[in-house]
Amino acid sequence: MSAKNYILCMTAACMIAAVPVHADETDAGNDQETLVVHLTTADLMPLETIKEEVISYRADQSLLDPSTVDIDRSTIAIEQFEQGKTGFFKATANITLASKETEEDSSEITLAYSFSQPLYVTVETDGKPQILLSSDEVSIEEGESFDPSSCISWIYDDGSMYPLVSIDNPVDTSVPGEYTVTYTVTDFDGNQTAASLKVIVEKMVFIWGKNISVSDLIFDDDGSVYAMFEAINEVRAYYGLYPFELGDESAMAAAAIRAQEASSYLAHVRPDGTHYRTAFDDVGLYGLFPKEILVCCGPTVETNLNWWMNEPGHARIVLDSTCTRIALGKYGNMFCGEVY
């Protein structure tokens, strides 16, 4: 939720005020209203007050008919809200409605239905302004833009002027690591409240279309499948991934069969129309379902691996984090990789 969504209570004398506000485009369920309930510490029965305000709010939204509801006998349970604490809370009210007594049996309590209502609850505390962040922690990728103000959900103050918000933002998105962003809210009287956000900048996994400088890697580019295996693991290490294990002799034989077939019939089906995985059946490896990549871009590992890494579908397989092995085959200039 963006920083523009501020809630301002103009008077502190009010015991409670319920204000519906609109969520912005980053929230699930766009254009829906979120209920904001303002309490004071003078309210000795805050749950009952919240229950009445939620029922009234849903009646205003035409979500229930208040004439059929017995508010006193309806029940409420609140998640993420602790009585006795002051501050600003994001909570969920779980309410079970009771219908009004019938003339036939005035002692009967009929449960109408239950529902959950997301809401924010403010409880005044020492005149200090309040700030609520959308999360305590966010993760972004290396090089990704970061706007700390976009992590502010609400700011509340009981004065008549907007509080001043200052943000200490040390985040350098070009350097992976953990950072702490500090938000300080100051009201007109000088009262302050601070909140902290942990920001984790994760090492870039992959940027589609960015040329991989395979030539900068340390390996002997003799054009062999073993050079390709070494180069692939160098690239995986660059992106913080574990190395693949090289397939056994049978798996390598299956990859070699597929490289030969693809050199004259470039497709992920075999010349006889069967699935490429049946090449593993031919060498006695049954039940394997590898992910296949093919490329034919000259005799060197550098040119072929660069092509793989700059085509999103193939790059995802090279950088796969669910498989542990790769079998490689080559026929002429055709490379075949089977990841499993």
Side-chain angles (χ1 to χ4, degrees):
M1 195 170 289
S2 69
K4 65 177 180 292
N5 290 323
Y6 296 159
I7 301 301
L8 187 62
C9 182
M10 302 301 292
T11 64
C14 181
M15 175 74 73
I16 178 165
V19 183
V21 298
H22 288 280
D24 67 13
E25 64 275 8
T26 62
D27 285 331
N30 290 348
D31 296 327
Q32 290 184 349
E33 290 185 331
T34 300
L35 179 63
V36 180
V37 177
H38 300 289
L39 300 173
T40 71
T41 54
D43 192 335
L44 301 179
M45 301 181 67
L47 294 187
E48 289 299 307
T49 305
I50 293 172
K51 179 183 70 175
E52 293 175 6
E53 290 298 324
V54 170
I55 292 174
S56 175
Y57 166 74
R58 290 180 74 91
D60 291 341
Q61 299 295 310
S62 299
L63 298 174
L64 58 83
D65 181 359
S67 66
T68 65
V69 176
D70 188 326
I71 295 179
D72 291 337
R73 294 189 297 170
S74 298
T75 61
I76 181 172
I78 298 273
E79 298 176 9
Q80 297 94 40
F81 173 69
E82 295 183 29
Q83 296 187 59
K85 286 192 174 182
T86 55
F88 201 132
F89 309 93
K90 182 178 181 180
T92 300
N94 301 305
I95 293 181
T96 299
L97 296 177
S99 62
K100 289 188 174 179
E101 298 171 346
T102 63
E103 293 183 0
E104 291 77 12
D105 186 357
S106 61
S107 65
E108 180 183 3
I109 298 178
T110 303
L111 299 181
Y113 64 90
S114 299
F115 63 87
S116 295
Q117 173 67 49
L119 71 156
Y120 290 90
V121 180
T122 68
V123 181
E124 286 185 13
T125 169
D126 302 328
K128 291 184 179 180
Q130 301 297 317
I131 179 171
L132 178 68
L133 303 181
S134 57
S135 176
D136 295 328
E137 179 180 314
V138 297
S139 296
I140 60 175
E141 286 192 1
E142 178 184 1
E144 183 180 347
S145 61
F146 172 65
D147 178 9
S149 64
S150 67
C151 298
I152 300 175
S153 287
W154 304 104
I155 291 177
Y156 166 76
D157 186 51
D158 58 5
S160 60
M161 297 182 64
Y162 267 173
L164 175 67
V165 183
S166 63
I167 302 175
D168 178 15
N169 175 28
V171 177
D172 183 350
T173 61
S174 67
V175 181
E178 294 186 1
Y179 301 86
T180 299
V181 178
T182 302
Y183 302 78
T184 303
V185 186
T186 306
D187 67 13
F188 184 74
D189 296 322
N191 299 309
Q192 290 188 335
T193 300
S196 297
L197 174 70
K198 182 179 180 181
V199 179
I200 302 174
V201 179
E202 299 177 338
K203 188 173 180 62
M204 177 182 63
V205 175
F206 187 67
I207 298 179
W208 307 120
K210 179 180 178 181
N211 187 55
I212 304 301
S213 300
V214 177
S215 59
D216 294 335
L217 303 179
I218 301 174
F219 73 102
D220 182 13
D221 191 355
D222 60 6
S224 68
V225 294
Y226 300 103
M228 177 65 81
F229 173 70
E230 186 177 355
I232 285 175
N233 277 340
E234 289 279 349
V235 170
R236 288 176 62 83
Y238 176 80
Y239 290 109
L241 297 170
Y242 57 85
F244 279 143
E245 297 178 17
L246 189 63
D248 61 18
E249 184 177 347
S250 296
M252 295 289 282
I257 292 172
R258 285 296 298 134
Q260 181 177 2
E261 292 175 346
S263 67
S264 58
Y265 187 75
L266 185 56
H268 291 297
V269 294
R270 305 184 70 181
D272 63 1
T274 59
H275 195 278
Y276 66 81
R277 72 167 188 81
T278 60
F280 284 77
D281 297 340
D282 292 347
V283 298
L285 295 177
Y286 301 97
L288 286 181
F289 293 87
K291 302 172 184 179
E292 182 176 84
I293 48 177
L294 301 169
V295 63
C296 187
C297 290
T300 67
V301 166
E302 179 182 352
T303 57
N304 285 282
L305 184 53
N306 268 328
W307 189 91
W308 270 343
M309 295 307 298
N310 286 281
E311 199 291 312
H314 294 78
R316 287 190 181 96
I317 296 177
V318 172
L319 299 176
D320 189 280
S321 61
T322 63
C323 299
T324 59
R325 293 180 175 82
I326 184 170
L328 293 160
K330 184 181 181 185
Y331 188 85
N333 290 332
M334 173 64 67
F335 277 92
C336 171
E338 302 285 350
V339 176
Y340 59 100

mmCIF file with all atom_site columns, all heavy atoms in Angstrom, residues 138-149:
data_model
loop_
_atom_site.group_PDB
_atom_site.id
_atom_site.type_symbol
_atom_site.label_atom_id
_atom_site.label_alt_id
_atom_site.label_comp_id
_atom_site.label_asym_id
_atom_site.label_entity_id
_atom_site.label_seq_id
_atom_site.pdbx_PDB_ins_code
_atom_site.Cartn_x
_atom_site.Cartn_y
_atom_site.Cartn_z
_atom_site.occupancy
_atom_site.B_iso_or_equiv
_atom_site.pdbx_formal_charge
_atom_site.auth_seq_id
_atom_site.auth_comp_id
_atom_site.auth_asym_id
_atom_site.auth_atom_id
_atom_site.pdbx_PDB_model_num
ATOM 1  N N   . VAL A 1 138 ? 11.260 -7.287  3.383   1.00 0.00 ? 138 VAL A N   1
ATOM 2  C CA  . VAL A 1 138 ? 11.033 -7.455  1.953   1.00 0.00 ? 138 VAL A CA  1
ATOM 3  C C   . VAL A 1 138 ? 12.321 -7.958  1.311   1.00 0.00 ? 138 VAL A C   1
ATOM 4  O O   . VAL A 1 138 ? 13.421 -7.707  1.812   1.00 0.00 ? 138 VAL A O   1
ATOM 5  C CB  . VAL A 1 138 ? 10.587 -6.146  1.269   1.00 0.00 ? 138 VAL A CB  1
ATOM 6  C CG1 . VAL A 1 138 ? 9.255  -5.671  1.803   1.00 0.00 ? 138 VAL A CG1 1
ATOM 7  C CG2 . VAL A 1 138 ? 11.651 -5.058  1.420   1.00 0.00 ? 138 VAL A CG2 1
ATOM 8  N N   . SER A 1 139 ? 12.165 -8.671  0.210   1.00 0.00 ? 139 SER A N   1
ATOM 9  C CA  . SER A 1 139 ? 13.314 -9.163  -0.556  1.00 0.00 ? 139 SER A CA  1
ATOM 10 C C   . SER A 1 139 ? 13.213 -8.647  -1.982  1.00 0.00 ? 139 SER A C   1
ATOM 11 O O   . SER A 1 139 ? 12.135 -8.680  -2.584  1.00 0.00 ? 139 SER A O   1
ATOM 12 C CB  . SER A 1 139 ? 13.345 -10.700 -0.558  1.00 0.00 ? 139 SER A CB  1
ATOM 13 O OG  . SER A 1 139 ? 13.532 -11.208 0.750   1.00 0.00 ? 139 SER A OG  1
ATOM 14 N N   . ILE A 1 140 ? 14.334 -8.167  -2.510  1.00 0.00 ? 140 ILE A N   1
ATOM 15 C CA  . ILE A 1 140 ? 14.394 -7.714  -3.893  1.00 0.00 ? 140 ILE A CA  1
ATOM 16 C C   . ILE A 1 140 ? 15.633 -8.306  -4.536  1.00 0.00 ? 140 ILE A C   1
ATOM 17 O O   . ILE A 1 140 ? 16.576 -8.710  -3.850  1.00 0.00 ? 140 ILE A O   1
ATOM 18 C CB  . ILE A 1 140 ? 14.428 -6.176  -3.985  1.00 0.00 ? 140 ILE A CB  1
ATOM 19 C CG1 . ILE A 1 140 ? 15.658 -5.615  -3.249  1.00 0.00 ? 140 ILE A CG1 1
ATOM 20 C CG2 . ILE A 1 140 ? 13.151 -5.571  -3.420  1.00 0.00 ? 140 ILE A CG2 1
ATOM 21 C CD1 . ILE A 1 140 ? 15.816 -4.113  -3.401  1.00 0.00 ? 140 ILE A CD1 1
ATOM 22 N N   . GLU A 1 141 ? 15.619 -8.372  -5.869  1.00 0.00 ? 141 GLU A N   1
ATOM 23 C CA  . GLU A 1 141 ? 16.772 -8.902  -6.577  1.00 0.00 ? 141 GLU A CA  1
ATOM 24 C C   . GLU A 1 141 ? 17.805 -7.810  -6.813  1.00 0.00 ? 141 GLU A C   1
ATOM 25 O O   . GLU A 1 141 ? 17.473 -6.613  -6.883  1.00 0.00 ? 141 GLU A O   1
ATOM 26 C CB  . GLU A 1 141 ? 16.354 -9.518  -7.913  1.00 0.00 ? 141 GLU A CB  1
ATOM 27 C CG  . GLU A 1 141 ? 15.639 -10.843 -7.785  1.00 0.00 ? 141 GLU A CG  1
ATOM 28 C CD  . GLU A 1 141 ? 15.495 -11.552 -9.121  1.00 0.00 ? 141 GLU A CD  1
ATOM 29 O OE1 . GLU A 1 141 ? 15.988 -11.001 -10.130 1.00 0.00 ? 141 GLU A OE1 1
ATOM 30 O OE2 . GLU A 1 141 ? 14.902 -12.639 -9.156  1.00 0.00 ? 141 GLU A OE2 1
ATOM 31 N N   . GLU A 1 142 ? 19.034 -8.213  -6.917  1.00 0.00 ? 142 GLU A N   1
ATOM 32 C CA  . GLU A 1 142 ? 20.134 -7.307  -7.214  1.00 0.00 ? 142 GLU A CA  1
ATOM 33 C C   . GLU A 1 142 ? 19.811 -6.495  -8.469  1.00 0.00 ? 142 GLU A C   1
ATOM 34 O O   . GLU A 1 142 ? 19.406 -7.034  -9.491  1.00 0.00 ? 142 GLU A O   1
ATOM 35 C CB  . GLU A 1 142 ? 21.407 -8.130  -7.426  1.00 0.00 ? 142 GLU A CB  1
ATOM 36 C CG  . GLU A 1 142 ? 22.650 -7.341  -7.802  1.00 0.00 ? 142 GLU A CG  1
ATOM 37 C CD  . GLU A 1 142 ? 23.825 -8.250  -8.073  1.00 0.00 ? 142 GLU A CD  1
ATOM 38 O OE1 . GLU A 1 142 ? 23.668 -9.491  -7.992  1.00 0.00 ? 142 GLU A OE1 1
ATOM 39 O OE2 . GLU A 1 142 ? 24.915 -7.733  -8.395  1.00 0.00 ? 142 GLU A OE2 1
ATOM 40 N N   . GLY A 1 143 ? 19.951 -5.162  -8.360  1.00 0.00 ? 143 GLY A N   1
ATOM 41 C CA  . GLY A 1 143 ? 19.687 -4.292  -9.494  1.00 0.00 ? 143 GLY A CA  1
ATOM 42 C C   . GLY A 1 143 ? 18.243 -3.846  -9.619  1.00 0.00 ? 143 GLY A C   1
ATOM 43 O O   . GLY A 1 143 ? 17.938 -2.955  -10.415 1.00 0.00 ? 143 GLY A O   1
ATOM 44 N N   . GLU A 1 144 ? 17.348 -4.425  -8.832  1.00 0.00 ? 144 GLU A N   1
ATOM 45 C CA  . GLU A 1 144 ? 15.933 -4.049  -8.886  1.00 0.00 ? 144 GLU A CA  1
ATOM 46 C C   . GLU A 1 144 ? 15.717 -2.711  -8.188  1.00 0.00 ? 144 GLU A C   1
ATOM 47 O O   . GLU A 1 144 ? 16.369 -2.392  -7.200  1.00 0.00 ? 144 GLU A O   1
ATOM 48 C CB  . GLU A 1 144 ? 15.098 -5.133  -8.206  1.00 0.00 ? 144 GLU A CB  1
ATOM 49 C CG  . GLU A 1 144 ? 13.592 -4.908  -8.247  1.00 0.00 ? 144 GLU A CG  1
ATOM 50 C CD  . GLU A 1 144 ? 12.823 -6.016  -7.546  1.00 0.00 ? 144 GLU A CD  1
ATOM 51 O OE1 . GLU A 1 144 ? 13.444 -7.066  -7.261  1.00 0.00 ? 144 GLU A OE1 1
ATOM 52 O OE2 . GLU A 1 144 ? 11.623 -5.835  -7.287  1.00 0.00 ? 144 GLU A OE2 1
ATOM 53 N N   . SER A 1 145 ? 14.801 -1.892  -8.725  1.00 0.00 ? 145 SER A N   1
ATOM 54 C CA  . SER A 1 145 ? 14.519 -0.602  -8.100  1.00 0.00 ? 145 SER A CA  1
ATOM 55 C C   . SER A 1 145 ? 13.785 -0.812  -6.777  1.00 0.00 ? 145 SER A C   1
ATOM 56 O O   . SER A 1 145 ? 13.039 -1.775  -6.611  1.00 0.00 ? 145 SER A O   1
ATOM 57 C CB  . SER A 1 145 ? 13.674 0.274   -9.033  1.00 0.00 ? 145 SER A CB  1
ATOM 58 O OG  . SER A 1 145 ? 12.439 -0.344  -9.310  1.00 0.00 ? 145 SER A OG  1
ATOM 59 N N   . PHE A 1 146 ? 14.001 0.110   -5.841  1.00 0.00 ? 146 PHE A N   1
ATOM 60 C CA  . PHE A 1 146 ? 13.383 0.014   -4.516  1.00 0.00 ? 146 PHE A CA  1
ATOM 61 C C   . PHE A 1 146 ? 12.928 1.389   -4.065  1.00 0.00 ? 146 PHE A C   1
ATOM 62 O O   . PHE A 1 146 ? 13.715 2.331   -4.008  1.00 0.00 ? 146 PHE A O   1
ATOM 63 C CB  . PHE A 1 146 ? 14.372 -0.571  -3.498  1.00 0.00 ? 146 PHE A CB  1
ATOM 64 C CG  . PHE A 1 146 ? 13.884 -0.522  -2.078  1.00 0.00 ? 146 PHE A CG  1
ATOM 65 C CD1 . PHE A 1 146 ? 12.774 -1.259  -1.689  1.00 0.00 ? 146 PHE A CD1 1
ATOM 66 C CD2 . PHE A 1 146 ? 14.508 0.283   -1.133  1.00 0.00 ? 146 PHE A CD2 1
ATOM 67 C CE1 . PHE A 1 146 ? 12.303 -1.202  -0.380  1.00 0.00 ? 146 PHE A CE1 1
ATOM 68 C CE2 . PHE A 1 146 ? 14.056 0.336   0.168   1.00 0.00 ? 146 PHE A CE2 1
ATOM 69 C CZ  . PHE A 1 146 ? 12.950 -0.407  0.546   1.00 0.00 ? 146 PHE A CZ  1
ATOM 70 N N   . ASP A 1 147 ? 11.640 1.505   -3.759  1.00 0.00 ? 147 ASP A N   1
ATOM 71 C CA  . ASP A 1 147 ? 11.062 2.751   -3.259  1.00 0.00 ? 147 ASP A CA  1
ATOM 72 C C   . ASP A 1 147 ? 10.591 2.510   -1.837  1.00 0.00 ? 147 ASP A C   1
ATOM 73 O O   . ASP A 1 147 ? 9.565  1.863   -1.619  1.00 0.00 ? 147 ASP A O   1
ATOM 74 C CB  . ASP A 1 147 ? 9.896  3.177   -4.145  1.00 0.00 ? 147 ASP A CB  1
ATOM 75 C CG  . ASP A 1 147 ? 9.214  4.450   -3.634  1.00 0.00 ? 147 ASP A CG  1
ATOM 76 O OD1 . ASP A 1 147 ? 9.761  5.070   -2.711  1.00 0.00 ? 147 ASP A OD1 1
ATOM 77 O OD2 . ASP A 1 147 ? 8.147  4.802   -4.174  1.00 0.00 ? 147 ASP A OD2 1
ATOM 78 N N   . PRO A 1 148 ? 11.299 3.003   -0.824  1.00 0.00 ? 148 PRO A N   1
ATOM 79 C CA  . PRO A 1 148 ? 10.924 2.714   0.568   1.00 0.00 ? 148 PRO A CA  1
ATOM 80 C C   . PRO A 1 148 ? 9.558  3.266   0.946   1.00 0.00 ? 148 PRO A C   1
ATOM 81 O O   . PRO A 1 148 ? 8.873  2.710   1.799   1.00 0.00 ? 148 PRO A O   1
ATOM 82 C CB  . PRO A 1 148 ? 12.042 3.366   1.384   1.00 0.00 ? 148 PRO A CB  1
ATOM 83 C CG  . PRO A 1 148 ? 12.628 4.400   0.482   1.00 0.00 ? 148 PRO A CG  1
ATOM 84 C CD  . PRO A 1 148 ? 12.501 3.848   -0.911  1.00 0.00 ? 148 PRO A CD  1
ATOM 85 N N   . SER A 1 149 ? 9.115  4.345   0.302   1.00 0.00 ? 149 SER A N   1
ATOM 86 C CA  . SER A 1 149 ? 7.813  4.916   0.652   1.00 0.00 ? 149 SER A CA  1
ATOM 87 C C   . SER A 1 149 ? 6.673  3.989   0.263   1.00 0.00 ? 149 SER A C   1
ATOM 88 O O   . SER A 1 149 ? 5.585  4.054   0.838   1.00 0.00 ? 149 SER A O   1
ATOM 89 C CB  . SER A 1 149 ? 7.633  6.273   -0.026  1.00 0.00 ? 149 SER A CB  1
ATOM 90 O OG  . SER A 1 149 ? 7.598  6.141   -1.438  1.00 0.00 ? 149 SER A OG  1
#
